[in-house]
Amino acid sequence: MPASDRSAPNISTLADMCLGFLAENPEELLGFMQHAGLTPDALRAAIGSDRLQHGLIDYFAANEPILLALCANSGTTPAQFMRAWHRLNQVG
């Protein structure tokens, strides 16, 4: 396993951290739901799905202020987060 993969968090764990952050920040949660076109029921139904996990990680990767806040609160570095994001978005 390449060193970059070892230092990047597990995708499921990272998505759970993102969702936890949003749950603690209702305004940010609303922003995510609006961005993703999710109703509260649809969000609840999607929890644990690959699609929601990828959407959460994409949302944080594109939103530097909440990415930095998440990293500061979780002990994950922005570089580790982005390595996980790159694993999800490999070209080729």
Side-chain angles (χ1 to χ4, degrees):
M1 176 181 288
S4 63
D5 286 346
R6 284 194 307 268
S7 63
N10 171 287
I11 298 302
S12 179
T13 300
L14 193 59
D16 288 347
M17 290 180 349
C18 292
L19 189 56
F21 178 89
L22 293 176
E24 293 174 3
N25 297 278
E27 289 180 13
E28 294 295 347
L29 176 60
L30 180 60
F32 170 74
M33 291 172 60
Q34 289 172 337
H35 175 79
L38 293 170
T39 65
D41 288 338
L43 177 60
R44 281 190 285 279
I47 290 177
S49 71
D50 288 345
R51 187 172 180 174
L52 179 62
Q53 290 176 352
H54 294 189
L56 286 163
I57 292 168
D58 282 345
Y59 183 74
F60 275 74
N63 190 329
E64 186 177 15
I66 64 170
L67 171 62
L68 295 177
L70 171 73
C71 289
N73 292 329
S74 69
T76 301
T77 68
Q80 289 170 320
F81 186 99
M82 293 309 294
R83 278 192 287 277
W85 180 84
H86 281 286
R87 277 199 324 257
L88 290 174
N89 294 286
Q90 292 179 2
V91 177

